[in-house]
Amino acid sequence: MNIETVFQLLIYGLTTSSLTWIGLVFIFGLLIGSFLNVVIHRVPIMLERDWKSQAQQILEETNGGRRTADGKDVRLKPDPQGSETPADGPYNLFVPRSACPKCGAMITAAQNIPVISYLFLKGKCAKCGTQISARYPIVELVTAILSAAVAWKFGFHWYTGAALVLTWFLVALTVIDFDTQLLPDNMTLPLMWIGLLLSLAGTVSDFGLPVDMRSSILGAVAGYLSLWSIYQLFKLVTGKEGMGYGDFKLFAALGAWMGWQMLPLIILLSAFTGAVVGIALIVVRGRDRNIPIPFGPYLAAAGWIALMWGDQIVGGYLRVSGMGG
């Protein structure tokens, strides 16, 4: 049996058995979830290193060299972590290899199998026994489950790949925003451009996605300007910043993917979820109401719900309200 025959049989199995397709995507989702853990941990550090490097250049250019007039070195102080400083060599999503943050032991391939390795090691470093956060397998499992749901929803179709990319971006952005209250431009802007480019592919009648170019462009513009306007109004009235520019860009990206028509649903779902979670944190955990709560995760969750069931939700509302004829 040659490779071509095996490939044909594989394609046949994926197209005729939805369980095979969903199961394969679930397993692949576990692997992607493992990579997303790297993205979630390293992207903020990469941004910080870049900011420090830019600040260093500005300080040196401003002072005409490395020292101020009184002879003090203007270089930034090293980060206590050591490996996070700009001068420590390459640091990206692939270099250096993942290691235990306490003892520095490299994580082997056998110790990096999604979920299984965590359970086998009982959530501890194989060398020093340091506890490993349960968030790592949780991110892997959530990514796999959401990926399988996308495969179930869209089936064996090219748009499934696009929907999976959106899902993976949203998972990573959600956790990064929870951790740092940042939505990195190097993730939100590419996500928006992908959504705009997909509008060139033509709408699949079975899904109503991707949206047409007009809806996509208007969605991106309206998504950004709507939150930007709210931000400016809130700042004018209260003198405080109610949200960050990353929220505007994420909303613009969701508008580019799903069109301006879905923006009201997304903002309503995200606002409702954010309000419920915020009130719960204040009541149950006694969270200081002056401490900001990131809005990005709620936008991301609402955007994913709109991707999966947006048309059904809007259609159901119109029927109940009597506006759908």
Side-chain angles (χ1 to χ4, degrees):
M1 185 179 295
N2 56 37
I3 297 178
E4 183 179 355
T5 303
V6 173
F7 182 74
Q8 291 176 347
L9 289 173
L10 177 61
I11 296 298
Y12 176 79
L14 294 176
T15 54
T16 57
S17 174
S18 58
L19 287 178
T20 301
W21 169 237
I22 294 171
L24 183 64
V25 173
F26 179 86
I27 294 172
F28 189 66
L30 286 173
L31 299 175
I32 293 296
S34 180
F35 177 69
L36 291 185
N37 277 320
V38 177
V39 173
I40 291 164
H41 174 72
R42 295 196 180 192
V43 164
I45 295 175
M46 291 162 58
L47 289 175
E48 184 180 0
R49 287 166 61 93
D50 186 50
W51 296 333
K52 286 182 177 180
S53 177
Q54 292 178 28
Q56 182 64 64
Q57 293 175 12
I58 293 172
L59 286 172
E60 292 184 357
E61 291 173 1
T62 302
N63 292 278
R66 293 177 56 183
R67 294 183 179 276
T68 60
D70 59 3
K72 293 183 179 180
D73 196 340
V74 300
R75 286 191 175 275
L76 300 176
K77 294 181 179 180
D79 191 290
Q81 296 291 331
S83 61
E84 317 298 356
T85 58
D88 282 337
Y91 189 92
N92 52 50
L93 297 180
F94 306 99
V95 178
R97 285 178 53 191
S98 297
C100 173
K102 183 173 183 179
C103 68
M106 294 295 177
I107 298 176
T108 65
Q111 297 168 353
N112 206 26
I113 302 173
V115 181
I116 295 175
S117 292
Y118 183 88
L119 295 175
F120 181 78
L121 294 171
K122 298 180 180 179
K124 298 179 180 180
C125 171
K127 184 175 181 180
C128 68
T130 298
Q131 191 71 36
I132 301 172
S133 172
R135 192 176 74 180
Y136 291 102
I138 290 174
V139 168
E140 293 164 353
L141 275 175
V142 168
T143 303
I145 292 170
L146 296 182
S147 299
V150 168
W152 164 77
K153 172 69 176 181
F154 297 105
F156 188 73
H157 193 278
W158 74 263
Y159 190 76
T160 303
L164 286 172
V165 169
L166 174 59
T167 299
W168 299 335
F169 265 85
L170 293 179
V171 170
L173 287 168
T174 292
V175 185
I176 289 175
D177 201 19
F178 263 129
D179 284 347
T180 65
Q181 294 189 6
L182 291 174
L183 290 169
D185 285 354
N186 58 7
M187 296 181 69
T188 55
L189 295 182
L191 189 62
M192 182 185 69
W193 286 112
I194 293 172
L196 291 171
L197 289 173
L198 281 173
S199 68
L200 300 174
T203 303
V204 181
S205 58
D206 291 344
F207 313 137
L209 294 167
V211 296
D212 61 274
M213 189 186 304
R214 178 184 177 87
S215 294
S216 181
I217 294 174
L218 289 176
V221 174
Y224 187 92
L225 290 181
S226 59
L227 288 190
W228 179 85
S229 300
I230 294 173
Y231 165 87
Q232 295 295 343
L233 180 61
F234 183 83
K235 187 176 181 180
L236 181 64
V237 173
T238 67
K240 300 178 181 180
E241 296 183 356
M243 61 183 71
Y245 277 70
D247 297 320
F248 315 159
K249 296 164 191 173
L250 177 56
F251 199 34
L254 294 174
W257 276 79
M258 281 162 276
W260 63 269
Q261 299 89 338
M262 282 295 163
L263 292 180
L265 173 64
I266 294 172
I267 201 65
L268 285 173
L269 286 174
S270 58
F272 175 76
T273 306
V276 170
V277 173
I279 293 172
L281 287 174
I282 293 173
V283 173
V284 177
R285 300 178 56 183
R287 184 187 179 98
D288 186 349
R289 65 188 63 193
N290 293 318
I291 298 176
I293 299 174
F295 189 51
Y298 309 119
L299 273 178
W304 191 81
I305 292 172
L307 170 72
M308 298 290 287
W309 302 289
D311 286 338
Q312 292 92 319
I313 295 173
V314 173
Y317 170 78
L318 292 178
R319 285 192 297 272
V320 171
S321 64
M323 298 173 62

